[in-house]
Amino acid sequence: MNPIITVFVLFATLLPFTALGTTGNDSCRNCHENPTRMLELGAQAFTITQQDVEQQSHMPATCSQCHLGNPDGASKDEAHQGLARLIRVRKKGLTADITPRNAPLEYGSNEMNKIYVTTEKDGKSIKDANVVALSWHDKRTDNLTQDFVTLKKTCGTCHPQQFEEFSRSTMGTNAKQTQYKSWIDKDRGPHNCGTWFDGNYAEIQANTMTAIPKDGYAINQRACNTCHVGCLDCHFNPQPRNAKFPAIGAHSFVKTPTSQSCYGNGRASICHAGPEDRRRGAGYFGGSFSFPEGNKPDVHVAANVGCLDCHESTKTNKSLGHGMVKRQAYDACPRCHSKAVKSHVASVHKNLSCEACHIQQVAGYQGTYWGPGKIGGAETAFLKYKAYYGIMQEPILIKDQKGRWIPVKPFPMAVMNQKQSPYKPGLQWRFPATLPDLQRTDDAWAYTGLHGGLPENNKALTWLQIDKMSHKLGKARSCDSCHEDSAGRQLQKVSWDYSDPGAAPFSGSHTVIADKTGLYIKGIKADEPIILEKGYTLSAFAPWFYLKEIWAVPGDFSLPALKDRVNYDRTKGNLPRLREDGIVHK
């Protein structure tokens, strides 16, 4: 007999179910606490007691309070009526699969995909390769976004205040991304993540030259929604069962969300893993989350400093409301680095943010283009061709709205088949500096034009994505990385590898230049022949092949010139001397 089953049988013999509080009409416990019955049903892996659940969840909730269903049902089908189930997001159509499972979750070693489901093949249990992500049962099955009806019936029953606060929070309302209602939104501009497709079909179609297939459009929105959170994404923390530690298991919960939960907690590269390690390219975890894989993590990972240790939330400030996390974390630096912060304010480099010096090797997207293709097996006008993955050795520094130098990774972007554009060329900011911290970001973008000249998919609305980077903090960059050029010119050569649909994998490169005349992406090229896949056009995913060097923004993007190069050459690299002279912080 299976040793797990043996344990349960022995437990049942020594301690009757009634001793655990089982009532005659609770069919959930009548079955799931009975290992013999679960074995008969072929679901012995789902044998669990109320005591197990309470030890792992730290909550007295019953099965039906969390999973709904019908605890008065006499049969399996009756008891499972209305049950809220784990959602397996299938590759084809990004559809929600909630069919009953015969096997529990499995746990691997890859942090990005450590939690997975299995399927049977040739009599063996293998990872289900047709599942691209997992969503918990507080998500809607039609579009994969938060299911507030289920949330209110489950978590909200015992935690009404937290539910109400979360439902109004930035994360609960998807408040940032929903503001991008089209590619030509005058207030926010076009964005790397695309538009908020839900409810904006007519507006987006009106400015799109080609017909937008409804099936692909719906899948576009589902792809967005896999990143947006419910209660369980933050507080549910399932793990392999550990006999030595009864509080660890499939029903483990945490009061304070783990840093891993901010990155999808092993269910896929979702949530903040996308905007941090892929889009910005300077993520907290790096490693298996980074593209290319293996980029170094933030120094705070090794120091066991978590997301909510720096980003203020209800953990330290109840007035924020549940689910609200303060994006700006600069107030946290003095708690651990008071001497450095105090001396930095008085140093020559006082107008530089901490990140400006302490972030290097920026990975992730080095180009992204939205063109026609297939998503989840359906035709779409807007497939995000994003796998131009590479590393910029040091970020470009620009001044933010308050005159502070911040690190950014400018990269070229375009969306195809656009009719017109309301934008004026130049650097722009997503959110004005006058907004409170909870309502803004420090991200910029730069419009570079509406261009023809493509053999198909005209016209291309083009811009530079210029997000501020805040993570992957580590050893400071060298003095020469900023000051070697006497004119303050910044130059970064970037190599990348393309691996998305449309063509066989190929390598390429470009150069980013920031000087007194402007900010430029120059010399975008493939370093080997591009072999197209059937049904794809080059202009859909590589408009740079035809548009060449149109990604240019006028303005002074140079770094300040040195006033005393002789003294600089004498003291650069001499850290004690630089600190003593007030050049850098102590």
Side-chain angles (χ1 to χ4, degrees), residues 13-64:
T13 303
L14 297 176
L15 185 61
F17 296 132
T18 53
L20 294 176
T22 304
T23 58
N25 65 351
D26 188 342
S27 59
C28 305
R29 293 179 62 181
N30 290 340
C31 278
H32 286 275
E33 288 190 338
N34 187 333
T36 303
R37 176 61 176 151
M38 294 302 289
L39 183 61
E40 292 173 353
L41 293 170
Q44 60 268 36
F46 296 100
T47 306
I48 192 165
T49 69
Q50 178 70 21
Q51 185 182 51
D52 292 329
V53 173
E54 290 186 14
Q55 285 180 318
Q56 293 172 21
S57 68
H58 310 294
M59 294 181 285
T62 65
C63 304
S64 58

Side-chain angles (χ1 to χ4, degrees), residues 22 86 101 156 221 260 330 338 386 487 489 511 545 568 582:
T22 304
L86 172 78
R101 294 176 293 127
Q221 184 61 44
Q260 288 79 4
Y330 36 70
S338 58
K386 60 185 183 298
R489 184 180 72 151
T511 301
F545 187 86
Y568 167 80

Side-chain angles (χ1 to χ4, degrees), residues 37 136 277 303 394 444 498 564:
R37 176 61 176 151
W136 307 129
D277 265 298
E394 279 111 8
Y498 180 78
D564 188 349

Side-chain angles (χ1 to χ4, degrees), residues 169-171 175-176 179 188 280 310-313 317 320 323-332 400-402 404 430-443 468 470:
S169 71
T170 300
M171 286 195 288
K176 286 291 189 293
Q179 295 185 44
R188 299 290 173 254
R280 299 175 194 275
C310 292
H311 293 276
E312 193 174 28
S313 67
N317 184 353
L320 291 177
M324 287 297 294
V325 177
K326 193 173 179 180
R327 177 186 292 264
Q328 292 78 12
Y330 36 70
D331 293 338
D400 69 9
Q401 297 176 86
K402 296 183 179 180
R404 184 183 62 155
R430 300 287 185 193
F431 297 87
T434 53
L435 287 177
D437 284 352
L438 287 174
Q439 297 179 30
R440 67 177 175 82
T441 73
D442 294 313
D443 296 331
K468 176 186 178 294
S470 300

Side-chain angles (χ1 to χ4, degrees), residues 412-542:
M413 290 222 46
V415 56
M416 313 308 156
N417 296 302
Q418 298 298 289
K419 294 179 181 179
Q420 59 185 355
S421 167
Y423 308 123
K424 294 181 179 179
L427 184 71
Q428 302 178 54
W429 297 90
R430 300 287 185 193
F431 297 87
T434 53
L435 287 177
D437 284 352
L438 287 174
Q439 297 179 30
R440 67 177 175 82
T441 73
D442 294 313
D443 296 331
W445 69 286
Y447 179 61
T448 57
L450 184 66
H451 299 276
L454 303 174
E456 58 276 311
N457 297 314
N458 276 315
K459 295 180 178 178
L461 191 157
T462 67
W463 72 97
L464 288 175
Q465 189 79 15
I466 312 177
D467 292 330
K468 176 186 178 294
M469 291 174 294
S470 300
H471 299 99
K472 201 183 180 300
L473 295 163
K475 184 180 178 181
R477 58 195 289 178
S478 69
C479 300
D480 276 350
S481 69
C482 288
H483 298 299
E484 185 175 26
D485 189 280
S486 59
R489 184 180 72 151
Q490 303 177 73
L491 185 149
Q492 292 292 325
K493 294 183 178 179
V494 182
S495 296
W496 40 258
D497 295 302
Y498 180 78
S499 57
D500 253 352
F506 63 92
S507 299
S509 60
H510 66 256
T511 301
V512 183
I513 298 174
D515 60 22
K516 291 183 179 297
T517 62
L519 176 61
Y520 310 95
I521 307 292
K522 290 183 173 289
I524 311 177
K525 63 184 180 70
D527 296 330
E528 53 192 309
I530 301 176
I531 303 173
L532 287 178
E533 293 179 346
K534 185 177 180 180
Y536 288 88
T537 60
L538 188 59
S539 61
F541 66 90

Side-chain angles (χ1 to χ4, degrees), residues 168-246:
R168 299 192 303 269
S169 71
T170 300
M171 286 195 288
T173 58
N174 309 326
K176 286 291 189 293
Q177 195 57 35
T178 53
Q179 295 185 44
Y180 299 93
K181 298 183 183 302
S182 74
W183 299 105
I184 55 171
D185 183 87
K186 294 180 181 179
D187 293 327
R188 299 290 173 254
H191 197 279
N192 173 268
C193 285
T195 69
W196 190 254
F197 296 94
D198 188 29
N200 298 309
Y201 180 88
E203 186 174 356
I204 297 171
Q205 179 64 85
N207 200 52
T208 303
M209 295 290 291
T210 60
I212 303 176
K214 290 288 183 71
D215 288 348
Y217 186 88
I219 298 174
N220 276 127
Q221 184 61 44
R222 288 201 287 274
C224 295
N225 289 346
T226 57
C227 284
H228 298 291
V229 300
C231 301
L232 297 177
D233 291 301
C234 294
H235 296 286
F236 183 40
N237 188 34
Q239 302 170 68
R241 183 161 184 157
N242 190 322
K244 294 182 179 179
F245 302 99

